[in-house]
């Protein structure tokens, strides 16, 4: 049954008004009772009511509420497929293509990305630079070892930090790094256990960090990084991230030149990546997870490029989930952009209506992570999990130093890219149970 049918549309609008917009849960019993079709295309007006649904609505017999479970985003990944080091050549990584409408999967290399782009498209790239934010030192006067990871600049030399061991770095603890070249005092503690640390130094703090700090590699990378620049994008410019926007690690200056020569514009935005983006989702139900805030900026030049791209019918292609989150946080409801900066804690999961992004370049993400939820919102959970299963079978390399994926519409193996189609940018393959099935398979 097609929701674009006027009678059904009116009915669904009525139920939308009855149910109202609810955070986390959507009461579906009225809709379930009166819409008998197994699968429907939901009209935009009820997306926020029956939101976060993509074919795996879960119902409680008593409350008749859908439950979107974190485990719905799990996949099996052999440990040996987790990339420990970057490839010698950045753009030699593999590039899976995924058609978000059909689920069709293809296989390329990243240097072929130019073939997937059209003249008039634009790439949105995050130019944030990773701070060497991992400091190794000792506690004073006990000489016990300590590790400090800088998360957020609170001003006045105070940083919000993760410390290890956390129990032995209580308020008042004195710390020393680099034979006393940098000292610090723990001056407070957040509710989540993060510490407020006051640093004492001479000169410019970022220069001290460059001298004493190490790259804050993710915990699943066990090997030391020989060249710290390999955890930076070639276009990184503004320091402030605690982790790299890793989808951008595949680009080389030469590849960017080829892309521009084809008539594709580059729009540089900034989001300083915090560890909150990669924090494990511990809640059983997705909607109970809370994101940490990250600072993002949309320069005037980038806003103008994005607006002109949309006006001329080109595609806005985000490089990485950080670029996606910046764009979706700062764009207006119609997808247009203006010069703006803000703190964002946007959490994108299935049912989210994308305002501005038309295609996405991204790496492969951890099971049950908010980033897998984001790409599932864009391409459909079943399409994503199938693509990930294929990636495992084909021995793709996973996570920060791993391979990449291009998610778009009308992707063909011969590189023939159609113009942006007039489709909705929200996951709409929603299955409505018939009342007999109170649980669906995960």
């Amino acid at each position: 049954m097609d929701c674009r049918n006027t009678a059904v549309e009116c009915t669904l609008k009525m139920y939308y008004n009855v149910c109202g917009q609810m955070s986390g849960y959507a009461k579906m019993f009225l809709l379930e009772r009166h819409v008998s079709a197994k699968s429907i295309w939901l009209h935009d007006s009820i997306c926020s009511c029956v939101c976060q649904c993509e074919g795996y609505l879960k119902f409680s017999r008593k409350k008749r509420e859908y439950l979107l479970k974190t485990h719905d985003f799990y996949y099996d990944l052999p440990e040996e497929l987790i990339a420990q080091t970057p490839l010698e050549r950045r753009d030699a990584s593999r590039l899976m293509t995924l058609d978000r409408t059909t689920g069709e999967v293809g296989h390329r290399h990243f240097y072929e990305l130019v073939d997937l782009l059209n003249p008039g498209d634009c790439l949105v790239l995050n130019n944030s630079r990773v701070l060497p934010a991992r400091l190794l030192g000792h506690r004073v006067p006990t000489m016990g070892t300590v590790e400090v990871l800088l998360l957020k600049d609170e001003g006045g030399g105070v940083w919000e930090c993760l410390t290890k061991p956390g129990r032995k770095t209580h308020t008042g603890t004195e710390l020393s790094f680099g034979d006393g070249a940098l000292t610090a005092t723990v001056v407070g503690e957040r509710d989540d256990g993060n510490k407020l640390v006051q640093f004492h130094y001479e000169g410019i703090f970022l220069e001290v960090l460059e001298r004493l700090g190490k790259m804050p590699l993710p915990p699943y990378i066990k090997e030391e990084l020989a060249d710290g620049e390999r955890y930076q994008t070639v276009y990184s410019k503004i320091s402030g991230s605690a982790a790299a926007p890793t989808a951008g690690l595949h680009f080389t200056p030469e590849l960017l030149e080829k892309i521009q020569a084809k008539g594709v514009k580059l729009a540089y935005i900034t989001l300083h990546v915090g560890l909150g983006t990669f924090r494990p989702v511990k809640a059983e139900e997705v909607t109970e997870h809370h994101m940490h805030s990250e600072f993002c900026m949309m320069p005037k030049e980038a806003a103008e490029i994005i607006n002109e791209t949309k006006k001329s019918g080109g595609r806005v292609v985000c490089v990485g989930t950080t670029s996606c989150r910046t764009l979706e946080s700062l764009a207006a409801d119609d997808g247009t952009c203006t010069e703006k900066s803000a703190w964002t804690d946007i959490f994108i999961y299935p049912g989210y209506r994308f305002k501005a992004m038309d295609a996405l370049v991204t790496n492969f993400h951890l099971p049950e992570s908010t980033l897998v939820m984001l790409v599932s919102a864009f391409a459909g959970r079943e399409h994503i999990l199938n693509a990930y299963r294929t990636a495992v079978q084909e021995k793709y390399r996973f996570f920060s130093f791993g391979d990449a994926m291009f998610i778009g519409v009308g992707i063909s193996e011969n590189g023939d890219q159609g113009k942006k189609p007039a489709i909705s940018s929200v996951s709409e393959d929603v299955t409505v149970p018939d009342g007999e099935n109170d649980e669906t398979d995960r």
Side-chain angles (χ1 to χ4, degrees):
M1 184 182 296
D2 193 335
C3 277
R4 297 181 181 114
N5 176 279
T6 304
V8 175
E9 180 180 321
C10 291
T11 303
L12 293 180
K13 281 184 177 180
M14 178 184 71
Y15 292 144
Y16 167 74
N17 292 330
V18 172
C19 297
Q21 299 185 36
M22 305 176 216
S23 176
Y25 300 109
K27 303 288 186 181
M28 291 287 293
F29 62 95
L30 289 175
L31 185 59
E32 178 193 353
R33 229 173 250 175
H34 291 275
V35 182
S36 59
K38 289 280 187 180
S39 183
I40 61 175
W41 288 89
L42 292 172
H43 186 272
D44 290 350
S45 65
I46 66 163
C47 282
S48 57
C49 177
V50 292
C51 65
Q52 283 102 69
C53 311
E54 192 237 347
Y56 45 97
L57 293 172
K58 308 269 194 277
F59 281 81
S60 154
R61 285 186 181 275
K62 293 182 179 180
K63 297 184 178 180
R64 313 303 290 175
E65 296 172 336
Y66 98 85
L67 305 174
L68 183 58
K69 301 291 188 180
T70 298
H71 190 73
D72 288 325
F73 301 91
Y74 176 81
Y75 67 93
D76 287 317
L77 177 66
E79 188 174 348
E80 62 268 20
L81 295 184
I82 300 175
Q84 293 298 312
T85 56
L87 296 178
E88 183 176 349
R89 178 180 159 188
R90 287 179 183 259
D91 62 358
S93 52
R94 298 169 74 184
L95 179 66
M96 175 180 284
T97 60
L98 174 63
D99 190 309
R100 61 185 287 243
T101 57
T102 66
E104 182 180 354
V105 168
H107 306 281
R108 293 173 175 266
H109 287 90
F110 200 85
Y111 53 77
E112 297 177 279
L113 176 64
V114 64
D115 298 327
L116 299 173
L117 302 173
N118 299 319
D121 289 346
C122 80
L123 284 182
V124 182
L125 305 111
N126 182 6
N127 64 5
S128 182
R129 186 169 176 83
V130 185
L131 290 169
R134 183 170 165 246
L135 292 166
L136 304 178
H138 62 266
R139 303 189 302 278
V140 178
T142 65
M143 299 302 290
T145 59
V146 67
E147 180 176 336
V148 174
L149 182 63
L150 280 62
L151 299 180
K152 180 182 175 184
D153 185 358
E154 298 288 347
V158 177
W159 284 74
E160 181 180 352
C161 301
L162 285 175
T163 60
K164 188 192 296 184
R167 290 180 299 175
K168 294 186 178 181
T169 49
H170 48 76
T171 300
T173 302
E174 300 289 337
L175 309 173
S176 178
F177 310 92
D179 295 326
L182 177 65
T183 60
T185 306
V186 180
V187 295
E189 184 172 343
R190 300 286 197 201
D191 292 340
D192 58 6
N194 290 353
K195 305 300 171 66
L196 294 176
V197 180
Q198 173 75 62
F199 287 95
H200 316 288
Y201 53 91
E202 293 183 1
I204 300 174
F205 185 63
L206 289 181
E207 292 181 357
V208 176
L209 270 186
E210 290 288 346
R211 215 167 52 243
L212 302 179
K214 294 179 177 292
M215 279 296 164
L217 296 178
Y220 50 76
I221 295 178
K222 310 300 181 184
E223 297 189 22
E224 286 290 328
L225 185 61
D227 179 7
E229 283 301 307
R230 292 307 307 273
Y231 196 56
Q232 306 277 15
T233 63
V234 296
Y235 49 81
S236 65
K237 184 177 181 181
I238 304 174
S239 294
S241 281
T246 55
L249 296 179
H250 305 281
F251 286 90
T252 64
E254 295 77 17
L255 179 58
L256 289 171
E257 287 177 7
K258 288 182 181 179
I259 288 171
Q260 287 180 288
K262 190 173 182 178
V264 177
K265 294 185 177 180
L266 307 182
Y268 292 101
I269 53 83
T270 305
L271 182 141
H272 291 316
V273 186
L275 295 186
T277 302
F278 308 101
R279 188 164 56 101
V281 180
K282 297 180 179 179
E284 181 182 1
E285 295 170 19
V286 167
T287 54
E288 293 181 356
H289 177 74
H290 299 285
M291 300 285 285
H292 285 179
S293 294
E294 296 166 315
F295 185 71
C296 58
M297 296 183 289
M298 172 73 68
K300 180 181 179 181
E301 182 181 0
E304 291 175 348
I305 291 173
I306 292 167
N307 291 342
E308 180 57 34
T309 299
K310 286 191 165 293
K311 184 178 179 181
S312 62
R315 295 175 303 168
V316 176
V317 182
C318 287
V319 176
T321 56
T322 60
S323 295
C324 167
R325 294 178 66 245
T326 300
L327 190 60
E328 294 299 316
S329 295
L330 301 182
D333 288 342
D334 63 359
T336 58
C337 297
T338 57
E339 182 179 7
K340 189 183 295 186
S341 63
W343 288 90
T344 180
D345 60 356
I346 188 171
F347 182 14
I348 297 175
Y349 49 96
Y352 176 82
R353 180 176 177 80
F354 287 87
K355 299 181 291 186
M357 182 174 74
D358 300 308
L360 176 66
V361 178
T362 185
N363 278 18
F364 292 91
H365 305 294
L366 277 71
E368 299 183 335
S369 65
T370 60
L371 303 183
V372 166
M373 296 173 191
L374 185 154
V375 294
S376 295
F378 188 59
R381 184 185 71 109
E382 290 303 324
H383 288 168
I384 287 295
L385 292 182
N386 178 65
Y388 273 53
R389 283 191 293 268
T390 301
V392 169
Q393 293 167 3
E394 297 294 327
K395 307 295 184 185
Y396 273 68
R397 303 167 79 245
F398 279 69
F399 305 160
S400 295
F401 290 139
D403 296 316
M405 175 188 288
F406 181 90
I407 305 174
V409 174
I411 303 170
S412 64
E413 283 296 314
N414 62 11
D416 181 21
Q417 290 298 105
K419 287 292 183 182
K420 181 173 64 176
I423 65 167
S424 172
S425 295
V426 65
S427 300
E428 290 180 314
D429 49 334
V430 178
T431 300
V432 179
D434 59 7
E436 295 299 321
N437 298 324
D438 287 345
E439 296 291 332
T440 58
D441 292 335
R442 288 178 176 173

